[in-house]
Amino acid sequence: MDRTTDHDDERRLAEIERELAAADPALAVALSALSPVRRPVWPWMVLAVFGTVLLLLGLLVSSAAVVLLGTGCALAGSLVVAKSPAVQETRDRT
């Protein structure tokens, strides 16, 4: 998709949202409380686990390159998982 299509889609969705709010305000409020489509978190969890395994393996064989690669993967995966909407909703509930 190009940017023009994305912009047109966003504009159309905003128009639908305004029409819904005008037609049924209670439904519009209920729907706005729902979270947007969630992207799966499991690939990032796999990356974090893979990075942790690489980190430990690098420490075991004393390889700085493997330790750095493992650290980068583990940090990237962990940060994305921590910032994901699913995790944020779980934190908000507790």
Side-chain angles (χ1 to χ4, degrees):
M1 287 181 125
D2 61 355
R3 291 182 185 189
T4 307
T5 306
D6 289 339
H7 184 66
D8 291 342
D9 290 344
E10 290 175 13
R11 190 174 5 168
R12 179 67 185 135
L13 287 173
E15 180 181 326
I16 291 170
E17 187 177 348
R18 282 191 300 274
E19 290 172 5
L20 176 63
D24 191 351
L27 179 62
V29 169
L31 290 177
S32 68
L34 298 175
S35 62
V37 176
R38 294 186 201 145
R39 296 177 187 232
V41 178
W42 69 266
W44 296 104
M45 287 183 182
V46 170
L47 180 65
V49 170
F50 175 71
T52 304
V53 170
L54 273 181
L55 175 65
L56 295 175
L57 183 66
L59 290 172
L60 184 66
V61 298
S62 300
S63 173
V66 177
V67 169
L68 288 174
L69 181 63
T71 302
C73 289
L75 282 174
S78 298
L79 289 175
V80 171
V81 168
K83 296 295 182 183
S84 71
V87 173
Q88 294 295 333
E89 285 180 8
T90 304
R91 286 185 187 150
D92 292 343
R93 286 185 207 158
T94 58

